[in-house]
Amino acid sequence: MWSVIEVNELTKRYGSAVAVDDLTFHVKPGQVTGFLGPNGAGKSTTMRVILGLDRPTSGQALVNGRRYAEMRRPMREVGALLDAGTVHGGRTALDHLRWLARSNRIGKDRVVSLLELVGLAGVARKRIRTFSLGMKQRLGIAAALLGDPDVLLFDEPVNGLDPDGVRWIRELMRGLAAEGRTVLLSSHLMSEMERTADHLVIIGRGRLIADTSVRELVGRFQRGVLVRSPRAGELAEALTTRGATVVTEPDGRLTVTGLDAVEIGDLAAGRAIPVHEVTPHTASLEDTYLRLTAETTAYASSPERTAR
Amino acid sequence: MIDALAAEWLKIRTVRSTLIVLVVLAVFVGLMALLAWYAAAAWDAMTPEQRSHMAVSDLPPLAEWVASLALAVLGVLTITGEYGTGMIRTTFAAMPTRGAVLTAKAGVVAAVAYVTGLAAVVATFSVTRLIMGGRPIPGQSPEPLSDRLPLFLAMAFSITMFALLGLFLGAITRSAAGSIAILVAVWHLVPIVVSHLPAPWDERIGSLMPAALAGQLAGVGNPDSVYGSLLPPLVALAVMAAYVAVPYGLAALRLNRGDA
């Protein structure tokens, strides 16, 4: 599968502060790629560089093999929601979409149908200043979809949305990816990504921490299978001969890695060893993510103070 | 470029500051009409002796000043409004060729400034002339509109120059307050300082001040003002063009170099 968004050895410094540090990752079509990292990790900066808004210090970002700044009518190729505040509050929702559409030669009928799609048709003639954050997010999503682009970038789109809105976004993203589009979705919340993304790019302090599918990530941090048996010693020996690594816990239970629960159960049954418990011990993605990014959190709260 | 122009035209039409500027100008023309009515009424009630002490200054230049400032502020807001709200990123994401965006904004601001500026000046002239009628009030020129039109067209050029200066200063400083402070300085404060320079420099530099150019372009000079009148019309036009072109170049450079 080819890559639609390519970020190659990208570095961005603001003065002496390094926002993005030699970052390389590729985004493929037909799936939702989650772009994860703690606050200040460089997600928004990376997205701004992809959109040609910020100039990279070195390296480059390409969409469909080209720099964004070279596109003549970019909204037909790439749709982006940066932050919902990047609008003029005095304009109405309808007028905002109208000038955007006009700038890329997109028909007026698209404006109307998108206002309906995002549920803002009723407030189309109200000033954006009067909108809630959730309504502004919906307007931003309408703007991103205006040119019917094949590539979509969303920076923290669920901020400010109510549970219905969050679900709506999730289904929208999944639907867009299912149509074969490329969706890059940033968030600092793993719980959100777990349900939406197929692939994850995790960064911390501007550096790549992981570029992996959601399933692989779960697998990588699997902490084995917990097994309880009255004949633990015998079972441990049998498991070790089959290539598993076995650790005997202080309470007599075994933590087995290298074999899954099914294989362990079958093996025990074959040797007629009774087994009282077989529990696959999966680290939650949330835990995994926190562990991955713990060392790179830019604004960590100090434990001494929060403990009180 | 046509797309960018059309988009910027939609933008300038759909913000309140444009409407406010137009209302300010309309109100000013109304005030001028009120002044003319008061002058005419006073004139009619005066004895010939009193009339010889009365004078009413030429009113269209007042309209030019107000229009210059109002449209310069509109020019400033056209770009600083986008930087202030972050909308500039939406703009540049939709139209990545930043020079084209700046040029489109300049085209739209220039068109609005020229048309509304000319309308404000001509309306002030026509309305006040209509009210004061044929009264020979000192200070009021008896010339018909056709004779004064070259000056009014030149004033509209000058108003357009100030509007573009505002736009480009806004792009360079990205700050509304900073841009407006600089504008007021070059519009009025610097000329006052220059007028106190020892001769012949007061006249020489005074002729180069932005607000001094309309009169010189129309060939009528700047009588009774702090400004000089040394430049022939074509040179005045060239200086006017320079006041637009140099800030344009700097603004384009600033937009293309920096992060949005």
Side-chain angles (χ1 to χ4, degrees):
Chain A
M1 225 181 344
W2 73 100
S3 296
V4 175
I5 302 174
E6 290 180 36
V7 173
N8 294 322
E9 292 159 15
L10 180 72
T11 297
K12 175 69 187 176
R13 281 192 204 97
Y14 296 101
S16 61
V18 183
V20 177
D21 188 0
D22 195 26
L23 181 64
T24 298
F25 68 90
H26 295 174
V27 182
K28 292 180 166 51
Q31 59 184 16
V32 176
T33 300
F35 191 27
L36 262 169
N39 290 331
K43 304 184 295 290
S44 297
T45 302
T46 305
M47 285 188 151
R48 283 202 301 272
V49 171
I50 293 173
L51 293 171
L53 295 173
D54 284 12
R55 304 268 186 269
T57 306
S58 64
Q60 62 177 0
L62 302 176
V63 183
N64 291 327
R66 289 188 293 156
R67 290 197 312 121
Y68 186 91
E70 288 161 8
M71 295 180 187
R72 274 201 60 215
R73 292 186 185 130
M75 291 172 70
R76 290 155 170 245
E77 287 181 58
V78 185
L81 166 72
L82 282 175
D83 80 73
T86 57
V87 290
H88 191 297
R91 222 171 251 120
T92 67
L94 181 66
D95 287 335
H96 180 66
L97 293 183
R98 272 177 65 213
W99 80 256
L100 273 173
R102 187 62 194 81
S103 71
N104 278 246
R105 291 230 176 154
I106 296 160
K108 281 182 201 156
D109 44 329
R110 276 295 284 175
V111 171
V112 176
S113 62
L114 274 160
L115 280 166
E116 274 162 19
L117 176 79
V118 302
L120 292 177
V123 291
R125 290 180 191 281
K126 289 233 164 90
R127 288 177 197 281
I128 299 169
R129 183 180 299 136
T130 65
F131 284 16
S132 67
L133 181 54
M135 286 159 85
K136 284 186 192 160
Q137 292 282 20
R138 285 169 185 267
L139 180 63
I141 288 165
L145 296 174
L146 208 52
D148 197 18
D150 281 333
V151 182
L152 287 146
L153 282 74
F154 295 101
D155 197 3
E156 314 243 348
V158 300
N159 271 0
L161 290 183
D162 53 22
D164 271 353
V166 172
R167 174 179 296 180
W168 174 74
I169 292 255
R170 191 184 303 145
E171 278 161 15
L172 183 73
M173 305 281 151
R174 307 256 6 128
L176 290 167
E179 290 166 17
R181 297 179 213 252
T182 308
V183 181
L184 181 65
L185 169 65
S186 91
S187 177
H188 58 267
L189 299 173
M190 180 56 125
S191 51
E192 186 44 44
M193 288 297 181
E194 205 167 345
R195 300 181 186 174
T196 317
D198 307 289
H199 196 86
L200 292 174
V201 172
I202 302 177
I203 65 170
R205 287 204 185 153
R207 291 197 185 160
L208 188 70
I209 295 178
D211 180 353
T212 170
S213 74
V214 173
R215 197 177 304 157
E216 265 172 35
L217 189 68
V218 174
R220 195 195 306 180
F221 285 87
Q222 199 147 39
R223 285 179 293 193
V225 182
L226 219 54
V227 183
R228 203 144 58 90
S229 167
R231 287 153 62 190
E234 203 178 325
L235 182 61
E237 214 176 293
L239 290 168
T240 314
T241 30
R242 281 283 294 274
T245 311
V246 181
V247 177
T248 306
E249 305 288 340
D251 63 355
R253 292 192 297 182
L254 306 175
T255 300
V256 184
T257 44
L259 288 176
D260 66 17
V262 173
E263 291 165 323
I264 295 166
D266 287 352
L267 184 98
R271 309 243 169 148
I273 301 173
V275 166
H276 295 165
E277 182 191 349
V278 181
T279 311
H281 198 106
T282 312
S284 76
L285 268 178
E286 190 80 55
D287 292 341
T288 306
Y289 167 59
L290 288 176
R291 195 135 38 100
L292 276 174
T293 55
E295 290 152 28
T296 63
T297 306
Y299 314 108
S301 48
S302 122
E304 295 88 52
R305 281 190 200 157
T306 51
R308 251 188 275 166
Chain B
M1 191 65 221
I2 288 172
D3 294 339
L5 267 172
E8 291 300 332
W9 174 240
L10 272 171
K11 277 195 207 168
I12 204 168
R13 268 178 47 203
T14 53
V15 286
R16 206 173 268 179
S17 39
T18 311
L19 185 68
I20 292 172
V21 164
L22 297 183
V23 169
V24 164
L25 287 180
V27 167
F28 183 78
V29 172
L31 284 176
M32 291 292 98
L34 215 61
L35 183 70
W37 173 79
Y38 176 76
W43 178 265
D44 291 345
M46 282 174 180
T47 61
E49 207 280 322
Q50 285 172 315
R51 284 179 180 178
S52 65
H53 295 300
M54 179 175 171
V56 176
S57 60
D58 195 22
L59 299 176
L62 293 181
E64 183 206 4
W65 292 352
V66 173
S68 293
L69 271 192
L71 286 153
V73 169
L74 182 68
V76 169
L77 292 179
T78 303
I79 188 118
T80 58
E82 294 206 14
Y83 275 105
T85 56
M87 197 179 90
I88 196 73
R89 292 201 286 274
T90 306
T91 296
F92 286 151
M95 300 180 273
T97 316
R98 298 182 187 179
V101 172
L102 184 68
T103 308
K105 280 188 187 297
V108 169
V109 165
V112 170
Y114 197 86
V115 171
T116 56
L118 186 61
V121 173
V122 170
T124 299
F125 173 82
S126 307
V127 170
T128 56
R129 172 65 58 94
L130 205 67
I131 293 170
M132 290 190 280
R135 295 177 184 88
I137 301 174
Q140 295 300 298
S141 92
E143 293 166 318
L145 178 61
S146 55
D147 285 2
R148 301 207 69 191
L149 201 56
L151 176 63
F152 296 164
L153 292 172
M155 285 175 169
F157 266 119
S158 174
I159 292 165
T160 308
M161 170 190 70
F162 274 106
L164 290 175
L165 205 54
L167 172 67
F168 301 143
L169 281 172
I172 294 165
T173 64
R174 300 184 180 183
S175 147
S179 305
I180 292 170
I182 296 173
L183 272 167
V184 170
V186 299
W187 173 64
H188 210 66
L189 302 185
V190 175
I192 287 176
V193 173
V194 166
S195 73
H196 286 94
L197 290 177
W201 292 103
D202 56 342
E203 182 81 2
R204 285 179 187 172
I205 299 179
S207 301
L208 295 169
M209 293 293 105
L213 297 169
Q216 298 178 90
L217 174 61
V220 300
N222 294 300
D224 308 324
S225 75
V226 295
Y227 304 118
S229 309
L230 297 176
L231 306 180
L234 280 180
V235 177
L237 188 65
V239 175
M240 226 181 228
Y243 273 117
V244 172
V246 173
Y248 172 77
L250 293 174
L253 212 64
R254 171 100 162 94
L255 287 190
N256 280 317
R257 286 272 172 82
D259 296 334

